[in-house]
């Protein structure tokens, strides 16, 4: 493998990581509050508000229903407003975030709903406010599961970021299409696939490790 | 002194009456058992007593305030004066034993130094000093319930409610938990209201027992009188229950 190809791969990996981590971060920032809100206002929540919960759920699912490649194109005007341009790695973070927020919101919602209702009852009985229940029960008790869900989100973002390459976002997907596919450069293609495998398995392993370290509800954890 | 006065409360869910015109009082320092079959309304009654549930009618006076009609904001504060021990412990798996016990104190806004002091006292009281830094998952059922009791006592409640506190425990552990509750009732003078379906628990822990059947109280008196199979109550509706469980 020539030095040039290595440099290309390295730069593309950096771009992919930038897109994935930035949009992943925004996904948590936007998705987690949404998930908490959905859980609290949902049918078995602490402050049931179906008139707010249902439209919000619908909006979230509507965004999730749009295939990413189409969302990418649909959002071009919006991306221009936010990022100033619709081309490049930074610009791609906008549609990636828009897709990742509702995705993570639904995943996190499941984690939050799995928290034992007895624990919520216990903290209510102690005189905890709703905010305290979120802070002391919902978030800490679901943290290992939230991290697993975040890992899934990141891996999905790796895939989605490859599609963003199609509109000039750079990254590994872009490299594979332009060099590997259009120029028949098998070395680049295989190199990209290898990097992607390492990236995804690495992210997954890291996520699993973190989730396991924070999980205290299983008595015989590796002891 | 009357600590708790329940006055003619009723509660129904979707047209089904769970509690019907229930009245009783609890004196400070007393230990009162509420016994009944599953579905008799025990849990709903207990949830009314710690203000997680409002009765449809009637009043519940605790320290002179009416739990049935107080606005939610004040109820939140009032709940901090009522400790609850749960059948399934309900300990937070993400917190150590010490941090679980400290939770009601954090909720009450106690400063950290004071909190640590109080937690140390409570760990000593329930005999779990050496487990302070462990997570609940590593404890036995009896130890978990000791943590549950310590947590319920943390904020110095005026009333301790026990919801089938020993029903998930084996007989030996049950005895040790009942001893602990007895000790708390006697030495701390803490008022105890507990629900159970086990006659033995009432015998060992109660000064007084209320028999709940189909949402109404059918008997009220000292366990020794109520739980005798052939007593004056044989003419009462609750007699069937008492006889079948004695």
């Amino acid at each position: 493998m020539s030095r040039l190809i290595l440099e290309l791969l390295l730069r593309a990996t950096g771009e992919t990581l930038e897109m994935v981590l930035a949009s992943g971060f925004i996904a948590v920032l936007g998705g987690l509050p949404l998930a908490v809100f959905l859980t609290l206002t949902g049918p078995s929540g602490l402050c049931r508000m179906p008139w707010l919960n249902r439209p919000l759920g619908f909006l979230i699912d509507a965004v999730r229903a749009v295939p990413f490649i189409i969302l990418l194109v649909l959002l071009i005007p919006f991306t221009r407003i936010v990022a100033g341009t619709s081309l490049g790695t930074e610009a791609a973070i906008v549609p990636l975030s828009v897709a990742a927020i509702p995705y993570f919101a639904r995943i996190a919602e499941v984690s939050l709903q799995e928290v034992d209702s007895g624990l919520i009852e216990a903290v209510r009985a102690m005189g905890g406010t709703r905010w305290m229940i979120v802070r002391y029960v919902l978030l800490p008790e679901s943290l290992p599961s939230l991290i697993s869900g975040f890992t899934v989100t990141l891996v999905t973002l790796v895939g989605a970021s490859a599609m963003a390459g199609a509109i000039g976002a750079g990254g590994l997907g872009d490299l594979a299409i332009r060099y590997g596919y259009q120029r028949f450069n098998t070395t680049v293609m295989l190199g990209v696939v290898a990097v992607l495998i390492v990236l995804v398995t690495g992210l997954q392993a890291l996520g699993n490790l973190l989730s396991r370290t924070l999980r205290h509800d299983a008595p015989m954890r590796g002891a | 002194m009357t600590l708790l006065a329940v006055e003619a409360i009723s509660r129904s869910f979707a047209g089904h009456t769970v509690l019907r015109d229930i009245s009783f009082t609890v004196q400070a320092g007393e230990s009162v058992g509420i016994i009944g079959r599953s579905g008799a309304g025990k849990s709903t009654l207990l949830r009314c007593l710690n203000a997680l549930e409002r009765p449809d009618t009637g009043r519940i006076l605790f320290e002179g305030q009416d739990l049935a009609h107080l606005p939610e904001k004040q109820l939140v504060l009032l709940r901090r004066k009522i400790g609850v021990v749960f059948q399934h412990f309900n300990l937070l798996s993400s917190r150590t034993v010490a941090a679980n016990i400290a939770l009601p104190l954090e909720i009450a806004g106690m400063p950290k130094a004071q909190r640590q002091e109080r937690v140390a006292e409570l760990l000593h009281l329930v005999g779990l000093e050496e487990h302070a830094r462990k997570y609940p998952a590593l404890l036995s059922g009896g130890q978990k319930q000791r943590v549950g009791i310590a947590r319920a006592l943390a904020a110095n409640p005026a009333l301790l409610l026990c919801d089938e506190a020993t029903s998930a425990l084996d007989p030996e552990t049950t005895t040790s938990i009942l001893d602990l509750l007895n000790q708390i009732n006697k030495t701390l003078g803490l008022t105890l209201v507990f629900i159970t379906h086990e006659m033995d628990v009432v015998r060992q822990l109660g000064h007084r027992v209320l028999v709940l059947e189909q949402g109404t109280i059918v008997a009220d008196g000292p366990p020794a009188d109520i739980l005798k199979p052939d007593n004056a109550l044989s003419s009462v509706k609750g007699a069937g229950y008492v006889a079948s469980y004695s």
Side-chain angles (χ1 to χ4, degrees):
Chain A
M1 219 188 287
S2 74
R3 236 191 108 203
L4 185 71
I5 293 180
L6 264 179
E7 264 170 26
L8 277 173
L9 265 177
L10 208 65
R11 206 186 66 206
T13 306
E15 286 166 352
T16 292
L17 275 175
E18 185 188 342
M19 285 188 276
V20 168
L21 295 180
S23 51
F25 178 71
I26 297 171
V28 174
L29 230 54
L32 192 57
L34 275 179
V36 170
F37 189 79
L38 282 174
T39 308
L40 291 180
T41 59
S44 54
L46 283 173
C47 23
R48 265 156 270 177
M49 284 190 258
W51 52 275
L52 214 67
N53 183 275
R54 279 194 211 131
L56 185 67
F58 175 79
L59 186 70
I60 283 173
D61 293 337
V63 177
R64 291 199 312 147
V66 181
F68 183 64
I69 192 90
I70 294 168
L71 191 71
L72 209 57
V73 178
L74 275 177
L75 283 175
I76 285 176
F78 176 69
T79 306
R80 279 215 188 98
I81 296 171
V82 177
T85 171
S86 63
L87 295 171
T89 309
E90 275 84 24
I93 292 170
V94 177
L96 281 172
S97 303
V98 171
I101 287 172
Y103 185 83
F104 182 66
R106 279 298 190 204
I107 289 186
E109 186 193 5
V110 173
S111 300
L112 294 173
Q113 279 172 348
E114 275 169 5
V115 172
D116 180 1
S117 60
L119 303 180
I120 296 169
E121 175 108 346
V123 174
R124 277 191 73 206
M126 277 174 215
T129 58
R130 285 188 194 119
W131 161 241
M132 289 171 182
I133 288 167
V134 171
R135 196 181 141 199
Y136 295 132
V137 186
L138 286 180
L139 293 178
E141 287 293 313
S142 62
L143 187 61
S145 167
L146 285 173
I147 287 171
S148 298
F150 181 58
T151 310
V152 172
T153 307
L154 284 184
V155 169
T156 306
L157 279 170
V158 171
S161 76
M163 276 184 251
I167 62 151
L172 289 163
D174 184 39
L175 186 67
I177 298 258
R178 282 193 292 129
Y179 286 75
Y181 177 65
Q182 286 163 353
R183 294 189 196 174
F184 306 105
N185 189 333
T186 314
T187 318
V188 171
M189 187 66 106
L190 291 177
V192 166
V193 171
V195 172
L196 282 173
I197 290 174
V198 171
L199 206 63
V200 167
T201 49
L203 280 173
Q204 189 62 51
L206 209 67
N208 289 349
L209 181 74
L210 198 59
S211 174
R212 222 175 323 122
T213 315
L214 293 169
R215 197 176 282 280
H216 299 294
D217 54 3
M220 283 300 137
R221 183 173 49 92
Chain B
M1 189 194 86
T2 303
L3 179 75
L4 182 73
V6 176
E7 297 176 354
I9 63 165
S10 297
R11 181 78 170 99
S12 53
F13 294 98
H16 176 71
T17 306
V18 178
L19 298 177
R20 211 185 308 256
D21 196 27
I22 290 195
S23 298
F24 62 92
T25 58
V26 176
Q27 304 303 311
E30 213 180 359
S31 171
V32 178
I34 299 170
I35 193 164
R37 289 197 180 91
S38 54
K42 290 174 301 194
S43 295
T44 306
L45 179 55
L46 203 84
R47 286 171 59 81
C48 285
L49 297 186
N50 73 4
L52 288 176
E53 192 92 57
R54 276 179 208 274
D56 299 327
T57 57
R59 299 198 304 167
I60 301 173
L61 298 171
F62 172 75
E63 292 191 327
Q65 284 177 295
D66 183 3
L67 299 185
H69 297 96
L70 222 54
E72 178 67 22
K73 266 204 167 131
Q74 277 162 271
L75 276 187
V76 166
L77 297 176
L78 210 104
R79 285 186 198 121
R80 297 177 189 172
K81 294 185 189 171
I82 302 174
V84 185
V85 179
F86 299 90
Q87 177 176 5
H88 297 293
F89 326 125
N90 293 349
L91 303 176
L92 298 182
S93 69
S94 55
R95 286 178 164 243
T96 61
V97 165
N100 261 290
I101 298 174
L103 186 56
L105 305 173
E106 271 177 68
I107 286 174
M110 185 187 273
K112 197 174 175 191
Q114 252 174 290
R115 227 156 58 204
Q116 283 170 338
E117 213 172 294
R118 178 76 182 132
V119 169
E121 268 172 44
L122 290 156
L123 281 167
H124 176 71
L125 177 73
V126 298
L128 287 178
E129 291 103 325
E130 70 268 41
H131 300 293
R133 287 161 176 275
K134 283 189 189 164
Y135 285 92
L138 297 167
L139 304 181
S140 69
Q143 289 169 330
K144 283 181 192 165
Q145 197 54 297
R146 283 169 186 273
V147 179
I149 292 169
R151 182 179 68 176
L153 295 177
N156 273 319
L159 171 65
L160 187 65
L161 300 175
C162 299
D163 185 359
E164 299 274 6
T166 57
S167 297
L169 304 173
D170 60 55
E172 269 172 54
T173 317
T174 295
T175 306
S176 83
I177 293 293
L178 292 180
D179 287 346
L180 176 63
L181 289 171
N182 250 327
Q183 177 203 336
I184 287 162
N185 173 245
K186 292 211 174 75
T187 59
L188 304 180
L190 185 60
T191 314
L192 216 60
V193 173
F194 59 95
I195 67 170
T196 182
H197 61 268
E198 294 166 300
M199 289 290 170
D200 277 342
V201 172
V202 177
R203 278 199 197 93
Q204 289 179 54
L205 200 55
H207 302 154
R208 209 175 113 209
V209 52
L210 309 174
V211 181
L212 200 61
E213 200 168 281
Q214 288 171 355
T216 51
I217 290 174
V218 294
D220 179 350
D225 296 351
I226 302 274
L227 303 181
K228 256 186 261 163
D230 53 334
N231 63 2
L233 279 165
S234 50
S235 59
V236 186
K237 272 200 291 178
Y241 176 82
V242 171
S244 65
Y245 274 73
S246 301

